[in-house]
Amino acid sequence: MPKLNRRHFLVTGLAAGAVAALPGTASASPELRADPFTLGVASGDPDHGGFVLWTRLAVNPLAEDGMGGMPNRPFPVLWQIYADESCRRVVRAGVTFAAPEWGHSVHVEVDNLSSDREYWYRFRVGAHVSPVGRARTAPHPLSYGGALTMAFVSCAQYEHGYFTSYRHLAEERPDVILHLGDYQYEYTKDTYVIPGGNVRDHEGPETVTLANYRQRHAQYKADPDLQAAHAASPWLVVFDDHEVDNNWADEIPEHAEDQPTFLQRREAAFRAYYENMPLRRTSIPRGIDMQLYRRVRWGQMATFHMLDTRQYRSDQGCGDGYKDCPAAVDPTRSITGDEQERWLIDGFHRSRAQWDVIGQQVFFAQRDNNAGPLKVTSMDAWDGYVASRQRITQGWVDAGIRNPVVLTGDVHAHWASDLKLNYDDPTTATVGSELVASSISTGGDGRDSDPQTQPFLKINPHLKFYNNQRGYVLTRIERDRMTADFKVVPRVQVPGSEVHTKATFVIEDRVPGVQQTYLRPVDPTLARSLPETTIEETVRLETDRP
C-alpha cells in the first residue's frame, strides 16, 4: 500500500470547511506526540447502504484512569472511505469528534454507499494516520447477492492464551464476523487460572468502575491479532456475561451479597462496551439500559436476529449450575424477556429470508447430563428456561420460516445439534439446527477427541458433534445450503499455532438439521494417551468460575 500523502486526505466541500472551523485542530492546538491509534479500527452492523466505522484514541492504552493517556478535551478525527484497497479513490469523507466523555471513541454511521461491495477506510488525527480497515455493504434488500461467508466466535480470555484464531480469521476475510459474547473478562490477574498457569496477565483490578472497564477493553483491543480481525471484516457484536460479571441476570449479579452497587457496575460496563464496539447510535446506553438486540439483513439471503439473553432474563433457577430444577420448566420465567420474545417471533412472521440466523449467547438445544430418570441441565443455558425456548421454537415453526439456524458461544467447545420441539422423544421431527463455536482462548489449549466418546452425545441423540479445541466456525451461506467448517488451533498457550478444519457440517435448504460431511480423525500417535472424555470434565471446561 502506498504511503499516505496530503492529497489522499484532502476533504472537499462541507467536510473541508468543517475541518477548517474546528477548534482544537492541529493548527489551533499542540499535536499529539504519540500515535493515538493504538487500539486499531473496526467496522460493524452493515446494511445495503453503509456501516458503522469505529476507532478509539489512546496514546497509552493501559492508563489506570481508563482514558488512554489522552488529554481531557475533544479531538477532531478525519475519516475517509475508499473504493480501492490502495486507498486512492475517495468515495466519502468527513470529520467527527472523539470526546473524553465517551473515552475518545469514534462511531461514524455511513450511508448512501453502493450495495454488495467492499470498501476500505481509515482515520487521521493531526499527522497520525490509522491502519486501513476493510468493510463491506450487504446486498440490496431485493437481491440475494453471491454466497455469504460468515464466521462466528466467542470467549476470548486474554490470560489463557494468545488470540491466534483471530489472526487466522483475519486471513479468511469473511464478509461478516459475529461475536457472540465474552469479548473480554472481568477478573484481576491470578484469579481465573488454568492448569499449568496463565500465559498473560490482566492489568488492573477486577472491572467494576468505568475506568476499570475502559482499561480492560483497551488491553484487549491493543492485541495485534484482535486488531487484525476487526480490520479485516465488519462485525456484529452482542455481549454475554463476562463483559459485566459472571452469570449475571438482569439486575442480579452472580454474588448479590457482595455487590450492593451492581447497577452502577452494569451501567459502567455498558458504557465501556458501547465505547469499544462498532455499534450504531441506537445502542447508546441510557443508564443501566442498552438496546442491543436487533436485526441485520443480508439482502434476501439471510436475516441475522441478534439476541440479548442477559439483560432481561429471570434469575437462574436453583442457585445456578447443572441441576434437576423445577424452576427450569416454570412458564413464567424467560431468558429473553417478554418484549424481546415478541419482537423475535414477530420477526419470524415478517421474514422472507432464505436463512434466518439467530445469533445468541448460550446453548439452545437440550443437554441432559444424566443417563437416568433425572434431567440434569445447565440453569444458565436455555435448558434453564424451557418454556421460553419452547415458545420461540414454536414461533419459528408457526411462522414457517424456511431455514432456522441458531448460532451459539459460551461453552468453550465446538458442538453441532439438531433442534426439536420435543427433545425427550428422539423420533420426533427436527425443526432447526444449532452450531456452537468453541472459545478463542478461554480454557487454554484444550485437546482433540473422538466425538463419539463424548457422553453428552450418547445421552442426547440430537447432539451430533463435540470438540474441545480452541477456534472458530466459518460458514458459507448459499441459496441451497449452509456449510460450516469447525476450525481449530491445537495450541493457544504458545503463539503462532496453525489452523485446520476438524469437521464440516452442511444444512440443506428446507432440510432442518445438521449433516456431517467431514471429520478429521484424531492423530493415532496421540489417541492412546488422551484421557477419556467425561461429563464432569465437559462441565468443568465450560465453567467460567475461578
Side-chain angles (χ1 to χ4, degrees):
M1 186 180 69
K3 288 186 176 180
L4 181 75
N5 59 47
R6 183 174 180 273
R7 178 176 61 82
H8 290 138
F9 258 103
L10 286 176
V11 182
T12 59
L14 178 62
V19 173
L22 286 175
T25 59
S27 59
S29 62
E31 284 273 342
L32 289 170
R33 295 185 178 181
D35 178 15
F37 296 110
T38 57
L39 306 183
V41 299
S43 68
D45 278 21
D47 61 22
H48 68 280
F51 35 72
V52 180
L53 301 181
W54 172 93
T55 192
R56 179 181 163 210
L57 308 183
V59 295
N60 176 16
L62 299 183
E64 291 185 6
D65 65 358
M67 295 304 294
M70 293 292 295
N72 187 30
R73 60 179 178 83
F75 282 81
V77 180
L78 282 73
W79 55 269
Q80 285 190 326
I81 297 175
Y82 309 90
D84 61 312
E85 194 168 4
S86 61
C87 299
R88 293 183 178 276
R89 290 188 291 145
V90 178
V91 296
R92 194 66 55 81
V95 64
T96 188
F97 279 100
E101 294 82 6
W102 291 97
H104 290 104
S105 62
V106 168
H107 298 76
V108 179
E109 295 188 31
V110 184
D111 55 16
N112 295 319
L113 297 173
S114 298
S115 61
D116 199 16
R117 64 151 297 166
E118 293 178 304
Y119 289 95
W120 289 264
Y121 63 92
R122 58 185 167 188
F123 302 90
R124 173 178 170 177
V125 174
H128 300 285
V129 179
S130 78
V132 174
R134 169 182 170 266
R136 68 158 297 146
T137 52
H140 187 274
L142 299 180
S143 168
Y144 284 92
L148 164 61
T149 303
M150 178 271 294
F152 64 100
V153 298
S154 71
C155 302
Q157 219 286 16
Y158 181 89
E159 300 175 299
H160 288 185
Y162 296 94
F163 291 166
T164 309
S165 287
Y166 281 145
R167 175 66 60 176
H168 289 301
L169 189 54
E171 294 165 356
E172 308 269 14
R173 289 167 67 95
D175 296 315
V176 65
I177 297 170
L178 277 60
H179 200 294
L180 302 179
D182 295 347
Y183 184 96
Q184 58 91 27
Y185 281 69
E186 73 273 32
Y187 304 114
T188 191
K189 70 176 184 178
D190 298 328
T191 301
Y192 184 11
V193 181
I194 56 175
N198 293 343
V199 300
R200 306 192 283 189
D201 288 329
H202 280 152
E203 292 288 334
E206 178 163 336
T207 52
V208 175
T209 68
L210 180 57
N212 299 158
Y213 283 109
R214 283 172 168 170
Q215 181 192 40
R216 185 63 50 80
H217 274 285
Q219 182 174 21
Y220 278 60
K221 276 291 200 303
D223 182 275
D225 295 333
L226 176 54
Q227 286 192 17
H230 270 299
S233 304
W235 286 39
L236 306 180
V237 300
V238 286
F239 52 59
D240 191 16
D241 53 336
H242 290 286
E243 289 86 350
V244 182
D245 175 52
N246 184 55
N247 283 17
W248 66 281
D250 195 0
E251 298 184 3
I252 304 171
E254 180 183 25
H255 301 297
E257 67 279 6
D258 299 329
Q259 296 194 56
T261 59
F262 175 71
L263 294 186
Q264 290 97 308
R265 181 181 190 178
R266 174 173 143 168
E267 180 177 354
F270 283 8
R271 189 178 184 95
Y273 186 80
Y274 172 78
E275 291 173 352
N276 286 278
M277 295 296 160
L279 289 164
R280 294 184 181 270
R281 64 175 65 91
T282 51
S283 292
I284 293 174
R286 290 168 175 80
I288 66 167
D289 298 317
M290 183 176 184
Q291 180 64 48
L292 194 63
Y293 67 84
R294 62 201 187 279
R295 281 189 191 89
V296 175
R297 293 177 172 85
W298 199 268
Q300 290 191 316
M301 185 69 81
T303 294
F304 294 96
H305 309 264
M306 306 299 292
L307 301 190
D308 177 349
T309 62
R310 287 289 163 193
Q311 198 173 170
Y312 315 104
R313 68 156 67 194
S314 308
D315 194 14
Q316 292 91 344
C318 299
D320 208 353
Y322 272 80
K323 304 283 177 62
D324 180 17
C325 177
V329 297
D330 182 345
T332 66
R333 301 176 70 255
S334 174
I335 194 171
T336 61
D338 294 342
E339 183 177 337
Q340 184 178 190
E341 182 179 300
R342 288 192 298 269
W343 167 88
L344 179 58
I345 294 173
D346 179 67
F348 293 155
H349 283 273
R350 294 173 183 270
S351 178
R352 298 297 179 266
Q354 194 85 354
W355 299 87
D356 281 272
V357 181
I358 303 167
Q360 58 91 49
Q361 295 78 6
V362 294
F363 217 101
F364 194 85
Q366 180 173 293
R367 285 191 309 157
D368 186 358
N369 76 6
N370 186 280
L374 298 180
K375 186 178 290 185
V376 181
T377 59
S378 170
M379 294 300 99
D380 189 57
W382 289 80
D383 275 333
Y385 307 83
V386 171
S388 193
R389 177 175 63 199
Q390 192 76 6
R391 290 190 297 267
I392 287 171
T393 306
Q394 190 69 58
W396 79 55
V397 171
D398 292 345
I401 65 174
R402 186 170 181 138
N403 294 298
V405 180
V406 176
L407 306 182
T408 301
D410 184 58
V411 291
H412 316 159
H414 285 320
W415 299 76
S417 65
D418 294 343
L419 300 178
K420 295 178 175 289
L421 283 167
N422 182 3
Y423 291 99
D424 296 331
D425 182 356
T427 67
T428 57
T430 295
V431 298
S433 312
E434 181 174 19
L435 305 171
V436 183
S438 185
S439 63
I440 291 291
S441 59
T442 307
D445 287 340
R447 62 177 176 83
D448 201 2
S449 63
D450 179 353
Q452 296 308 310
T453 66
Q454 167 55 256
F456 268 106
L457 272 61
K458 299 175 183 178
I459 299 170
N460 304 271
H462 56 277
L463 302 179
K464 304 299 183 181
F465 176 66
Y466 169 85
N467 176 266
N468 175 40
Q469 292 174 289
R470 310 287 74 83
Y472 55 95
V473 180
L474 182 69
T475 73
R476 180 178 174 87
I477 303 175
E478 302 169 273
R479 293 181 68 172
D480 63 344
R481 67 180 57 196
M482 177 188 294
T483 304
D485 291 330
F486 287 85
K487 300 282 191 172
V488 300
V489 291
R491 303 289 310 277
V492 295
Q493 290 170 247
V494 294
S497 183
E498 293 300 314
V499 65
H500 65 262
T501 299
K502 175 62 184 178
T504 299
F505 281 79
V506 169
I507 305 168
E508 300 284 356
D509 178 35
R510 294 191 184 276
V511 183
V514 295
Q515 304 172 43
Q516 184 175 291
T517 60
Y518 170 76
L519 178 66
R520 176 170 168 152
V522 178
D523 184 340
T525 63
L526 299 176
R528 291 182 180 179
S529 63
L530 292 175
E532 181 182 358
T533 303
T534 65
I535 290 286
E536 292 74 21
E537 180 195 33
T538 304
V539 172
R540 178 185 64 79
L541 290 170
E542 69 184 49
T543 301
D544 277 329
R545 290 182 177 86

